[in-house]
Amino acid sequence: MSGLGAIADNIERTITLSDRTKSLDSSLIHDNNDVTKLANGEVCLTSESTNFRVGELLLPNGESYSGSLLGNIPEGSGKYRWSDGCRYVGEWRHGITHGHGKLEFPSGAVYDGEFSGGYMHGEGTYIGPDKVTYRGRWRLNLKHGLGYQMYPNGDIFEGSWMQGTPEGPGKYTWANGNVYFGNMKGGKISGKGTLTWINGDSYEGSWLNGAMHRVGMYTWSDGSCYIGTWTHSLKDGKGTFYPSGSRLTAGQELYLNALRKRGLLPDMKKQSQVSHIHHAASVDMGNVKVSGKLPERNLLNFGQSRPTNVSLERRWSLEVAIEKVIGHNLDGDMEDAMSAPILEREYMQGILISEVVLNERFSPPSGRARRRQKRFVRELKRPGEAIIKGHRSYDLMLSLQLGIRYTVGKITPIQRRDIRNSDFGPRASFWMYFPKGGSQLTPTHQSEDFKWKDYCPMVFRNLREMFKIDAADYMMSICGNDALSELSSPGKSGSVFFLSQDDRFMIKTLRKSEVKVLLRMLPNYHRHVKTYENTLITKFFGLHRIKPSSGQKFRFVVMGNMFCTELRIHRRFDLKGSSLGRSADKVEIDENTILKDLDLNYCFYLEPSWREALLRQIEIDSKFLEEENIMDYSLLLGVHYRAPQHLQSLNSCSGRTMADGLEIVAEEESLEDEISPQGLVLVPRGTDDSVVVGPHVRGSRLRASSATGDAEVDLLLPGTARFQIQLGVNMPARAEYIPKEGQTQVFHEVYDVVLYLGIIDILQEYNMSKKLEHAYKSIQFDSVSISAVDPTYYSERFLEFIRKVFPTYAVAT
């Protein structure tokens, strides 16, 4: 998008407009006599210097003003010319541009609109020297609000802007006819949206930084479509392919509509409203970058880069797609089109690892096939249940969002300072009453009246700053327009979990006893987190309580979500080191199932120095918890599999048939050359913005002596992205399958993984209740196998188990 640099320069020049006009006041000498003296020696005669008059002022630097004056100050209408040829014609107030005016730049750029306090502020039209045109709202020289912008090449963007960046709903129309309806964030396509290419192809679903991400539906011009999940524009997970001529089932249509209502897919009705917006507000789309497979291209190129031969090229995945044959290379025979099968597919980072024929022509109807389809529908859902109006937790969510917005907004302006002893404890908390009708300090709201209690706000603000969490991002993540999601409790505590709309934060309900424990250990917790920047224990960012006018008290803690990752988490393990009852209850295991100690049939080999650093930090953290009399904590381990070799080996024969009669179609062998199972590459540390950094991360990067001579490294995943490696985040490892006792291992199963881990559930004291539980269970079971043991033994057993999970590299074969 040519010429945007000049536009940015021109707009930046106007930022100094208020300062430049202030030179009028400093250059004029006020005199009580009837003669107004100018700094250059010229004079203007007037009857009274305090009355309005029309005159001309010449400044020593060659700039001039002519128009209405109040005394020696421009007031009313006037014209100002700078020495470089820049000119303003319009209204003034107290010597500063204020009201309607027209600003002309030497380059030929023109702004015609509202000014306030010396800034472009309000409604205005900007025409650049290259004829780029913007009409819409401005705020302090930045496009902010709703606006409409036409680029020199004919592209058009209309939608919402914020603080100089496209933010919120918008519509971008390329000159070639491609159209995007949907959400923008930070100047990139992010959120829910639909991109339609001129050839008739379209993608409707979720986006992240310009790449298709999470749930979506890709529809080809011939009517065939694929409904599934993506990770950075690579198909990742299970999905269903519907060939041309087939129809979505009624259940699938209902499911897609439900996803739209929940906000997981874009609502076309809402998007169509954006097309009526004729104004926008904030920064040039030429600066928009689209990441994923096109890291160097901007939004303009993204819309124009769609392949012309759709059947031969897939930008979004690397598979040798079977829809080439059944979806696009049909010879026009309708009967053949109708006979094309509906396929359930499973991908892993763009690699097709299996296909199952679902329609009745290729396999007999069975309850198992129908259950498979229903299970796939469940797997497509975003984790948790969206809290929409009518949900049992809707009022609670509104109260929580309102309280956090009030808390952060109140404490953010307070000057930063060191944490004091007075910032801890019950006296450091405060109450606020939120009546439904509002008050002098609180806004009106739709929830019932409630009382809000904020615990130790200065301490938690300091913790958020420690982890580089911006206050505005924190509020937008939890209190933005998108609803929170409610997760089912994975543990026995009965706690309710809420997930922020961008997955960065987890909100958990606490028992009163847990709040007391957290407040008691908060000074030492703050000191520990500050001292050990690589700590793996749970990151706490806020502690609150809500008491509705009619109902029980709810206590919440806001935590960092360690599984807010760029990579898909395929398996999750909760590891304590005990064995009694430590296996998952579910028969069917999916990606959201929390597996336990007895379910772990892998060991993980790390780079030796990483293993040493990891075990040392876990020992430090567990020692801290032991000193705080804490037990029953866990190591939460997330595993991302990179094209597992054993899956490709099992599926190497095409056309394999399962016991239920469903046909399995495997990927061609040549695909293994595109992304090898060992697809983990360590490269020297990168400094550009393309490196993906995990959320809530602080501390040092890891070094790899074997790969780069003891230098900091990044993890490069071919076809995906470049990731910053830190302790517990984006850690590459080699996983080895451990067969169960008596099980025959057909082949040695070793493959690459990426690990995410942290220590959770750190608020359980070894109190009288746990001591009684220990005494009771020790009579029935082996005391070594139970979880309820004293903190010292718990820490030792925990460390011993973790060492077995991460054995020394010399053991690997």
Side-chain angles (χ1 to χ4, degrees):
M1 217 171 282
S2 61
L4 293 182
I7 296 172
D9 292 339
N10 289 337
I11 293 178
E12 190 168 326
R13 288 189 57 195
T14 66
I15 297 177
T16 63
L17 181 61
S18 59
D19 296 329
R20 296 172 77 170
T21 55
K22 288 177 183 177
S23 63
L24 286 170
D25 191 27
S26 60
S27 300
L28 297 177
I29 302 175
H30 299 276
D31 199 324
N32 292 330
N33 297 327
D34 291 345
V35 178
T36 302
K37 300 180 181 179
L38 301 185
N40 61 355
E42 298 185 19
V43 298
C44 289
L45 297 178
T46 180
S47 59
E48 290 185 13
S49 62
T50 58
N51 292 341
F52 278 101
R53 62 186 176 84
V54 176
E56 181 175 357
L57 302 177
L58 300 177
L59 303 182
N61 57 8
E63 297 174 358
S64 64
Y65 170 82
S66 61
S68 180
L69 295 166
L70 179 60
N72 295 326
I73 304 300
E75 186 78 16
S77 298
K79 180 189 302 183
Y80 193 96
R81 181 183 294 274
W82 284 267
S83 58
D84 59 3
C86 188
R87 185 176 65 173
Y88 171 80
V89 179
E91 297 176 332
W92 296 75
R93 179 182 295 179
H94 305 306
I96 298 176
T97 55
H98 190 94
H100 189 274
K102 185 175 182 180
L103 185 62
E104 300 177 356
F105 297 93
S107 63
V110 177
Y111 171 81
D112 189 350
E114 296 178 346
F115 290 80
S116 179
Y119 294 93
M120 296 185 292
H121 193 92
E123 291 284 343
T125 299
Y126 176 85
I127 302 176
D130 56 356
K131 303 306 178 185
V132 62
T133 303
Y134 171 82
R135 296 192 299 271
R137 299 289 301 177
W138 295 76
R139 181 179 179 183
L140 301 178
N141 290 332
L142 292 175
K143 302 167 188 175
H144 186 96
L146 297 178
Y148 171 97
Q149 180 153 306
M150 176 178 288
Y151 299 92
N153 63 354
D155 289 3
I156 296 174
F157 176 76
E158 48 187 330
S160 177
W161 305 68
M162 184 179 296
Q163 294 296 326
T165 305
E167 190 88 19
K171 175 186 176 183
Y172 194 98
T173 305
W174 285 266
N176 63 4
N178 297 338
V179 178
Y180 172 77
F181 276 103
N183 196 66
M184 307 286 292
K185 186 173 183 181
K188 300 178 182 178
I189 296 177
S190 289
K192 289 78 184 178
T194 301
L195 181 59
T196 304
W197 286 270
I198 191 172
N199 65 356
D201 287 8
S202 67
Y203 171 79
E204 171 191 2
S206 296
W207 299 78
L208 179 66
N209 295 331
M212 295 183 288
H213 198 73
R214 291 184 179 165
V215 182
M217 178 171 67
Y218 192 100
T219 305
W220 286 270
S221 57
D222 64 358
S224 58
C225 68
Y226 176 81
I227 302 173
T229 55
W230 278 259
T231 300
H232 291 291
S233 289
L234 294 175
K235 292 173 185 172
D236 196 12
K238 291 186 177 180
T240 302
F241 174 76
Y242 294 86
S244 177
S246 62
R247 291 185 177 182
L248 299 181
T249 64
Q252 194 77 45
E253 289 282 8
L254 290 174
Y255 170 64
L256 291 176
N257 290 332
L259 288 180
R260 292 186 180 98
K261 290 181 180 178
R262 285 179 157 199
L264 299 180
L265 285 180
D267 190 330
M268 300 304 294
K269 292 182 179 179
K270 292 182 179 179
Q271 288 183 2
S272 63
Q273 297 174 1
V274 181
S275 62
H276 300 295
I277 300 175
H278 197 60
H279 296 11
S282 199
V283 90
D284 293 302
M285 291 296 293
N287 298 326
V288 176
K289 294 182 179 179
V290 177
S291 63
K293 295 293 292 181
L294 303 172
E296 300 298 329
R297 302 195 181 195
N298 56 25
L299 184 62
L300 167 66
N301 293 331
F302 178 65
Q304 295 176 336
S305 62
R306 185 71 183 131
T308 56
N309 188 344
V310 182
S311 64
L312 296 180
E313 186 170 355
R314 285 286 175 273
R315 187 175 302 278
W316 326 123
S317 59
L318 299 176
E319 79 276 10
V320 182
I322 290 185
E323 64 259 25
K324 293 178 185 178
V325 178
I326 63 178
H328 293 83
N329 292 343
L330 298 176
D331 58 5
D333 191 329
M334 182 57 67
E335 182 178 352
D336 290 342
M338 294 302 293
S339 66
I342 297 175
L343 302 172
E344 177 184 296
R345 294 178 166 176
E346 184 171 3
Y347 293 87
M348 189 162 291
Q349 289 294 301
I351 295 180
L352 179 64
I353 60 176
S354 70
E355 281 190 345
V356 178
V357 179
L358 294 182
N359 55 339
E360 297 179 1
R361 178 180 175 88
F362 290 85
S363 60
S366 65
R368 186 168 182 176
R370 288 191 292 271
R371 289 194 299 271
R372 185 188 294 272
Q373 287 179 295
K374 291 180 180 179
R375 184 170 69 251
F376 161 65
V377 168
R378 291 196 302 269
E379 289 173 350
L380 279 183
K381 295 180 180 179
R382 180 172 178 260
E385 182 181 0
I387 304 176
I388 58 178
K389 194 168 185 179
H391 191 279
R392 60 185 176 275
S393 301
Y394 183 70
D395 286 346
L396 183 60
M397 179 192 73
L398 293 181
S399 301
L400 176 68
Q401 291 177 323
L402 185 61
I404 290 179
R405 189 182 295 115
Y406 173 82
T407 294
V408 177
K410 179 179 179 180
I411 200 170
T412 299
I414 298 178
Q415 186 176 4
R416 291 182 177 87
R417 58 172 175 80
D418 293 334
I419 297 299
R420 308 165 182 164
N421 291 334
S422 59
D423 295 322
F424 298 95
R427 294 186 178 181
S429 307
F430 68 87
W431 278 95
M432 179 56 63
Y433 179 60
F434 286 81
K436 187 172 184 178
S439 66
Q440 290 183 344
L441 299 177
T442 62
T444 58
H445 57 89
Q446 299 179 358
S447 181
E448 62 178 317
D449 299 355
F450 68 94
K451 288 184 178 180
W452 171 263
K453 188 174 185 179
D454 195 23
Y455 296 92
C456 307
M458 288 297 295
V459 177
F460 286 106
R461 184 184 84 159
N462 185 264
L463 287 171
R464 291 194 296 270
E465 292 173 348
M466 202 180 294
F467 287 95
K468 299 178 177 60
I469 297 176
D470 181 73
D473 290 342
Y474 184 71
M475 283 196 293
M476 286 298 296
S477 178
I478 300 176
C479 313
N481 295 329
D482 292 336
L484 304 177
S485 297
E486 181 177 324
L487 306 177
S488 58
S489 175
K492 300 178 181 179
S493 63
S495 298
V496 179
F497 291 81
F498 300 105
L499 190 63
S500 65
Q501 55 90 17
D502 59 0
D503 294 348
R504 290 183 63 195
F505 302 100
M506 190 86 74
I507 303 171
K508 178 185 178 182
T509 59
L510 298 180
R511 300 188 301 271
K512 185 176 181 179
S513 59
E514 292 176 312
V515 173
K516 290 183 177 179
V517 171
L518 180 54
L519 291 175
R520 175 187 61 78
M521 64 183 289
L522 189 58
N524 292 335
Y525 170 86
H526 180 271
R527 189 179 304 111
H528 180 83
V529 171
K530 185 176 181 180
T531 302
Y532 300 100
E533 57 184 11
N534 292 317
T535 180
L536 298 174
I537 61 178
T538 305
K539 280 71 174 177
F540 294 125
F541 301 127
L543 182 62
H544 317 285
R545 188 177 80 180
I546 294 175
K547 186 180 184 302
S549 56
S550 59
Q552 64 177 4
K553 298 175 182 177
F554 295 92
R555 301 169 180 87
F556 298 91
V557 64
V558 182
M559 309 177 294
N561 177 19
M562 57 171 286
F563 287 158
C564 177
T565 66
E566 299 296 323
L567 298 178
R568 192 184 191 92
I569 302 297
H570 297 109
R571 287 293 180 266
R572 304 162 192 253
F573 295 93
D574 182 286
L575 307 175
K576 293 180 181 290
S578 58
S579 57
L580 181 63
R582 297 299 295 165
S583 62
D585 298 329
K586 286 188 175 183
V587 177
E588 294 185 0
I589 305 299
D590 58 29
E591 294 180 1
N592 294 318
T593 303
I594 303 297
L595 303 173
K596 300 181 181 179
D597 301 61
L598 299 181
D599 303 311
L600 182 63
N601 51 1
Y602 302 96
C603 60
F604 303 97
Y605 294 100
L606 294 167
E607 206 267 351
S609 62
W610 299 354
R611 176 184 182 272
E612 181 182 352
L614 177 65
L615 295 179
R616 182 171 60 250
Q617 187 60 55
I618 293 177
E619 183 176 0
I620 292 172
D621 291 337
S622 59
K623 185 66 176 177
F624 162 74
L625 296 175
E626 177 187 337
E627 293 173 351
E628 294 296 322
N629 200 35
I630 300 297
M631 41 76 68
D632 211 25
Y633 46 87
S634 308
L635 181 76
L636 187 59
L637 174 66
V639 184
H640 167 81
Y641 297 95
R642 282 300 291 180
Q645 190 171 14
H646 73 285
L647 287 178
Q648 295 190 0
S649 300
L650 290 174
N651 294 333
S652 60
C653 54
S654 179
R656 189 166 58 86
T657 303
M658 298 177 63
D660 60 0
L662 300 179
E663 185 179 1
I664 302 293
V665 182
E667 187 57 272
E668 298 179 6
E669 292 183 3
S670 61
L671 180 62
E672 296 183 5
D673 296 332
E674 298 191 31
I675 293 185
S676 62
Q678 290 73 33
L680 304 180
V681 181
L682 297 181
V683 295
R685 170 179 176 174
T687 57
D688 54 12
D689 295 335
S690 63
V691 178
V692 177
V693 182
H696 325 307
V697 172
R698 56 190 286 261
S700 58
R701 297 190 183 199
L702 294 182
R703 298 173 178 269
S705 56
S706 59
T708 58
D710 197 32
E712 295 180 349
V713 292
D714 292 331
L715 171 62
L716 180 63
L717 300 184
T720 306
R722 182 175 183 150
F723 297 84
Q724 179 173 306
I725 305 174
Q726 292 187 261
L727 205 63
V729 180
N730 299 326
M731 294 187 69
R734 178 64 59 85
E736 180 176 339
Y737 178 76
I738 303 175
K740 295 181 180 179
E741 186 176 353
Q743 181 182 3
T744 302
Q745 190 171 9
V746 179
F747 53 85
H748 189 56
E749 193 172 314
V750 179
Y751 46 95
D752 288 333
V753 296
V754 182
L755 302 180
Y756 300 85
L757 58 155
I759 298 175
I760 63 170
D761 297 336
I762 64 171
L763 298 179
Q764 179 58 60
E765 272 188 316
Y766 190 57
N767 50 24
M768 184 57 67
S769 173
K770 286 295 180 181
K771 292 178 181 178
L772 293 175
E773 180 184 342
H774 172 77
Y776 175 73
K777 288 187 175 180
S778 296
I779 299 174
Q780 297 179 303
F781 309 100
D782 182 1
S783 60
V784 177
S785 66
I786 63 178
S787 295
V789 295
D790 70 89
T792 300
Y793 179 71
Y794 190 96
S795 173
E796 294 173 354
R797 184 182 63 184
F798 179 73
L799 285 169
E800 182 181 356
F801 180 76
I802 298 303
R803 290 190 182 100
K804 294 178 181 178
V805 176
F806 300 97
T808 57
Y809 204 82
V811 178
T813 59

